[in-house]
Amino acid sequence: MDLHFDDRFVRELPADPRTDARRRQVLGACHSAVMPTPVAAPRLLACTRDLAAELGIPPEVQDGDDFAAVMGGNQLWPGMRPYAACYGGHQFGNWAGQLGDGRAITLGELVTPSGARAELQLKGAGPTPYSRQGDGRAVLRSSLREYACSEAMHHLGVPTTRALSLVATGEDVVRDMLYDGHPAAEPGAVVCRVAPTFLRFGNYEIFTSRGDRDTLRTLLDHTIRHHFTQLAPDLGAPGPDAYAAWYREVCERTATMVVGWMRVGFVHGVMNTDNMSVLGLTIDYGPYGWIDDFDPNWTPNTTDAGTRRYRFGQQPQVAAWNLAQLGRAILPVVPGDPAAAGAALEAGLDAYVAAFERQQAAMMAAKLGLGQLRDGDDPRGDVALVDDLLALLAAVPTDMTIFYRLLARVPTEAPIDDRALLEHVRPAYYDAIDGRVTSPAGDPGRMVAWLRRWIARVSEDGVPDAVRRARMDAVNPKYVLRNYLAQLAIDDATKGDLGTLDALMDTLRRPYDEQPDRERFFGKRPDWARNRVGCSMLSCSS
Ligand code: AMP
Ligand code: MG
């Protein structure tokens, strides 16, 4: 096999002079050399074949013992120079100091057959200088969740890091899952994730927090030269306006990512600045969750239950706050007097707001099958149509994914009576939840009235039902990684049965297609899953 690794990140950026894994503050360096700690019995649980092919890893290698050994951290391929990256971050709004790759180890940067770069990074590969109190390991349940969700998001068309493999380690890991004083041994696993780079906002913040402008500038130049090539022609040094232009680009990419989350009902759960990719990729799948009944106030993260900082509906605002932290971090190296530099960065944040609003409007129009939203201030206009729907969905527990799929099937070309109209969307409603009125029978008039407005509006566009349905289906997924489905796959995988994971992954490769033999993955969250740990409540313990 002929895989070409190029250690560009390691070669071009300042290294930690020490090479042991003793926990420490690492100053003036972007990375520390560290080897994965071998595991007892690496066993391949899942491999993403199409990604492996893209990377140039042939099928016979994917099926060989070496593959599990490399992806479990027991072996290296020639040219790999493993390292852990140094970064800091704001966690839940507070500066947390040095964090770094505490259990992630990049094996190397692969040059793919098409000439692209792909960082192969193991998560759960053992301690690094950045492990703090942690053991550097990851449990099967969280690794499977990261593996499955990365790929689900990719096929949904939401920017994300990818996942190449899931390897069982054959070792136990001890976790206190609910932080309630009941540590227990759980099976361990390692995910190999893939991205052009895993650089986060926190990689830049750490140097500013230490007054280390030189390293900050070196890292920024590296980032722009290799990952934002349009801003640095001919691989030369970025020009004077490059930093502000880069920041603006990060802002716009972040807007696209968050609009993608809002479209499919994804809640990241831990939007700390160390979990924000400068490429605008969804990164670090931890206590994330998927919206079942549409509730903008929902957060899957038990650690966030108090303030709900990272709740579904607040993600656009939190992204802006995180971007402001990134802007503050690069301010000291933006050329010009501080006022001008500040204004240049302010323009980047404005670009975030503009990009978000524009894309959010286009996204909602597409979800409703409209060409575009019209009549911004008209109370009977499209903006009101959208706002009223979101209020309705939140008032009466309604499954978000199912609702939009059913809406696409409401006939608009022939007269329909109220009862028949309501029957079309009825399957999206949950039974009683916490005393809230549930079935549309609770207040059928409001939904019927809204559906009638929608029918009138789409009729104006004059698009045939069948055509509009196909367009709506292309943005409203039928299959998402519902929280309880991930848990079922975990339960079975823990018992040694990978059938559910395989079937789920296969289904999620075509999330917008009807798959009649996979209707079971379209179902509403069952009652047993509503308050079950792992299904609606997740801790950061992973
Ligand atoms: P997260 O909440 O997953 O974004 O992690 C925050 C920080 O904690 C990162 O620096 C991680 O590398 C580190 N971390 C999380 N879990 C562990 C662990 N089991 N061992 C070492 N470091 C960890
Ligand atoms: Mg993280």
Side-chain angles (χ1 to χ4, degrees), residues 66-369:
D66 276 10
F67 188 69
V70 172
M71 296 308 155
N74 284 21
Q75 195 181 309
L76 296 179
W77 282 326
M80 285 178 160
R81 262 179 90 184
Y83 69 88
C86 180
Y87 57 79
H90 279 85
Q91 297 184 317
F92 297 94
N94 303 304
W95 176 245
Q98 177 182 298
L99 299 167
D101 286 333
R103 55 174 166 172
I105 296 179
T106 291
L107 295 176
E109 281 177 82
L110 183 63
V111 183
T112 73
S114 70
R117 300 276 174 148
E119 219 182 283
L120 305 189
Q121 183 178 82
L122 301 186
K123 184 166 173 180
T128 78
Y130 309 98
S131 296
R132 298 177 295 152
Q133 302 84 357
D135 57 7
R137 293 300 187 190
V139 292
L140 173 62
R141 68 181 148 80
S142 69
S143 303
L144 186 151
R145 281 169 48 84
E146 173 139 20
Y147 177 82
C149 202
S150 311
E151 289 306 298
M153 292 288 266
H154 168 71
H155 293 291
L156 284 164
V158 180
T160 179
T161 61
R162 302 281 311 263
L164 175 62
S165 60
L166 175 66
V167 168
T169 60
E171 293 177 3
D172 280 347
V173 176
V174 176
R175 289 289 182 268
D176 186 357
M177 185 159 63
L178 293 178
Y179 300 123
D180 61 356
H182 295 93
E186 300 183 47
V190 177
V191 174
C192 178
R193 48 188 194 180
V194 180
T197 175
F198 287 89
L199 283 166
R200 308 135 189 273
F201 295 5
N203 288 83
Y204 308 83
E205 289 180 282
I206 186 74
F207 299 116
T208 311
S209 79
R210 290 168 169 171
D212 182 354
R213 284 194 210 191
D214 288 344
T215 312
L216 173 62
R217 203 178 281 115
T218 306
L219 177 61
L220 261 173
D221 289 351
H222 173 95
T223 310
I224 293 171
R225 228 176 25 240
H226 296 306
H227 300 287
F228 294 79
T229 46
Q230 73 282 12
L231 301 178
D234 308 324
L235 291 185
D241 300 329
Y243 295 160
W246 174 77
Y247 178 65
R248 185 191 173 107
E249 172 84 19
V250 176
C251 287
E252 291 180 341
R253 289 190 191 200
T254 302
T256 301
M257 173 186 80
V258 175
V259 170
W261 294 356
M262 304 313 283
R263 174 171 64 84
V264 300
F266 174 78
V267 194
H268 184 286
V270 210
M271 290 177 73
N272 294 333
T273 57
D274 56 301
N275 293 337
M276 297 288 293
S277 143
V278 292
L279 297 184
L281 305 175
T282 312
I283 188 177
D284 268 11
Y285 292 89
Y288 67 81
W290 291 80
I291 291 287
D292 290 313
D293 58 299
F294 180 80
D295 177 1
N297 288 320
W298 185 66
T299 174
N301 184 355
T302 52
T303 313
D304 191 31
T307 60
R308 295 177 183 264
R309 179 182 179 87
Y310 298 142
R311 61 187 182 266
F312 179 61
Q314 182 143 284
Q315 296 185 121
Q317 286 74 21
V318 173
W321 190 90
N322 288 342
L323 286 163
Q325 304 314 310
L326 178 64
R328 200 161 293 158
I330 68 166
L331 189 59
V333 295
V334 174
D337 65 84
L345 295 177
E346 200 61 48
L349 261 191
D350 291 346
Y352 168 78
V353 175
F356 178 80
E357 286 179 352
R358 191 180 64 247
Q359 294 180 43
Q360 168 85 5
M363 178 271 277
M364 283 310 305
K367 282 185 88 68
L368 295 187

Side-chain angles (χ1 to χ4, degrees), residues 486-499:
Q487 188 59 42
L488 290 178
I490 291 166
D491 290 345
D492 287 349
T494 306
K495 287 181 251 161
D497 173 5
L498 296 169

Side-chain angles (χ1 to χ4, degrees), residues 380-431:
R380 287 152 304 150
D382 290 348
V383 174
L385 187 73
V386 170
D387 291 348
D388 292 349
L389 173 65
L390 298 183
L392 255 181
L393 294 182
V396 178
T398 318
D399 192 276
M400 174 177 163
T401 303
I402 297 178
F403 180 83
Y404 287 106
R405 281 306 272 206
L406 296 180
L407 182 64
R409 282 152 185 75
V410 171
T412 73
E413 286 159 357
I416 181 169
D417 68 35
D418 287 1
R419 214 184 46 81
L421 195 51
L422 213 48
E423 282 312 308
H424 270 282
V425 295
R426 187 179 297 278
Y429 288 90
Y430 282 89
D431 292 331

